[in-house]
Amino acid sequence: MTLHLDAVVFDVADANAAAAFWAGLLDRTVLAEPDGALVPGIATQVGLRFVTSDTAQVGPRQLHLHLTSSTLEHQQQTVQRALDLGGRHLDVGQSPDDRFIVLADPGDDELCVIEPGNTYLAGTGYLGEVTCDGTRDVGVFWHEALGWPLVLDEDGQTAIQSPHSGTKISWDSWDSLDSWDSWDSWDS
């Protein structure tokens, strides 16, 4: 039996609002589900499932999304579209020199709009990465469970990607990161 990744799951206060935001940002549809909503993916782009939950968020989110940009103008258009859909700017300690832009969706889930020319996310498509808090062992587990290639395995960071290419899913123990600047090392 082959395991198939349908979507990553976000527990949110308002699943319909979160799904509407992401469907608008990614130009996808929303499918209602009994406990939330699904923004379906395609072969090369991961789906996003939002489940309504009244559980209070404690500490940093366990995952967030990275959107890619083809030009600086495209990056600014993505930021503006996110703001128009109900997102907001978010300060997570990034410096003025950082070229990625950090936002939060209406449910306060973090997202980054990555600068053009980022070689780590080249060829992934618009939804470039789902980045998760987790150890190297978690990344290796999902590499083996899904049969997806391990495309990054260094300094405790791991990432997998579908054999069809597209969205990467990565793991890093965030408490070990000195700052968000560590992501810049992936840009070479």
Side-chain angles (χ1 to χ4, degrees):
M1 180 195 314
T2 303
L3 188 63
H4 171 77
L5 176 64
D6 183 46
V8 294
V9 179
F10 291 84
D11 289 335
V12 295
D14 186 344
N16 291 326
F21 171 86
W22 282 102
L25 195 56
L26 298 173
D27 198 24
R28 298 186 191 173
T29 59
V30 175
L31 301 176
E33 296 187 328
D35 57 350
L38 172 68
V39 178
I42 58 173
T44 60
Q45 294 284 278
V46 171
L48 306 174
R49 177 169 279 118
F50 300 93
V51 177
T52 300
S53 172
D54 58 4
T55 303
Q57 176 65 37
V58 177
R61 302 279 181 185
Q62 298 300 300
L63 60 97
H64 68 270
L65 305 175
H66 290 168
L67 302 176
T68 63
S69 302
S70 56
T71 64
L72 288 175
E73 180 181 357
H74 180 235
Q75 184 182 34
Q76 289 305 312
Q77 289 170 345
T78 297
V79 169
Q80 188 58 54
R81 188 171 184 184
L83 296 174
D84 292 346
L85 290 165
R88 64 181 174 80
H89 284 278
L90 185 64
D91 182 359
V92 295
Q94 67 271 33
S95 80
D97 295 332
D98 287 329
R99 297 175 298 164
F100 56 87
I101 299 170
V102 183
L103 304 171
D105 70 14
D108 287 329
D109 285 305
E110 296 90 358
L111 66 128
C112 294
V113 183
I114 305 300
E115 70 281 353
N118 181 293
T119 56
Y120 171 72
L121 296 179
T124 59
Y126 189 46
L127 178 52
E129 183 176 38
V130 176
T131 185
C132 311
D133 183 19
T135 64
R136 178 186 182 278
D137 291 342
V138 175
V140 171
F141 169 84
W142 284 108
H143 153 69
E144 292 172 357
L146 291 170
W148 288 11
L150 196 61
V151 296
L152 174 68
D153 187 6
E154 60 184 60
D155 300 326
Q157 300 172 332
T158 53
I160 61 173
Q161 188 175 30
S162 163
H164 304 290
S165 196
T167 307
K168 291 181 179 180
I169 303 174
S170 66
W171 293 268
D172 195 352
S173 182
W174 292 341
D175 57 296
S176 70
L177 292 178
D178 294 331
S179 73
W180 281 51
D181 291 334
S182 298
W183 292 344
D184 285 340
S185 67
W186 294 358
D187 186 31
S188 52

